[in-house]
Amino acid sequence: QVQLVESGGSWVQAGASLRLSCEASGLTLDDYAMGWFRQAPGKERDFVAALKWSDGNTYYADAMKGRFIISRDDAKNTVFLQMNSLVPEDSALYYCAAARAPKEYPGTYYYTHEGFYDYWGQGTQVTVSS
């Protein structure tokens, strides 16, 4: 049984940093890309960042480049999202997700759209106050 368990969400003030964690179990991570998405109240779920486990390639939403960093710990089967210089607009429920990675490169679109992700965590709440 696949499980993705997020943690690290919190209430912080603008300008602060947070690191989210997602521990994965029940899947062979070399076969997957791990992604982070977020959803604010009343809005659609948006792509944040993704990491293809087998080669370490990373993908970011344009708005997050330079502020957010996705990384992993192989020994702990855990993917992280380091979020810096947080602003109130970053407030959202942050989800971890896993997408099976095709052997042939499917293009950036594949890893940045939620429709291709097979497994999802329950989410961790991030609230940034001004």
Side-chain angles (χ1 to χ4, degrees):
Q1 182 180 359
V2 175
Q3 282 194 314
L4 303 177
V5 180
E6 303 100 330
S7 62
S10 184
W11 177 91
V12 295
Q13 291 193 320
S17 297
L18 272 179
R19 189 176 79 158
L20 306 183
S21 301
C22 171
E23 184 175 358
S25 60
L27 70 171
T28 302
L29 286 170
D30 273 347
D31 295 336
Y32 285 84
M34 300 299 294
W36 286 98
F37 291 77
R38 70 184 188 184
Q39 188 169 23
K43 295 189 177 182
E44 294 184 351
R45 189 157 54 187
D46 291 329
F47 170 74
V48 174
L51 182 150
K52 185 166 176 279
W53 207 271
S54 62
D55 57 21
N57 284 343
T58 57
Y59 307 85
Y60 293 94
D62 287 344
M64 283 69 176
K65 288 179 182 175
R67 282 198 309 132
F68 290 10
I69 301 170
I70 189 169
S71 63
R72 71 190 194 202
D73 184 328
D74 289 14
K76 297 181 179 179
N77 286 351
T78 298
V79 63
F80 303 101
L81 183 68
Q82 177 68 39
M83 305 187 295
N84 301 316
S85 302
L86 286 164
V87 296
E89 291 72 24
D90 293 319
S91 297
L93 189 60
Y94 283 72
Y95 294 93
C96 173
R100 186 171 287 276
K103 286 184 169 47
E104 292 190 7
Y105 176 61
T108 301
Y109 183 90
Y110 183 91
Y111 295 118
T112 61
H113 286 78
E114 64 175 307
F116 297 101
Y117 283 77
D118 305 296
Y119 303 103
W120 293 83
Q122 294 298 306
T124 185
Q125 180 67 41
V126 173
T127 304
V128 185
S129 65
S130 57

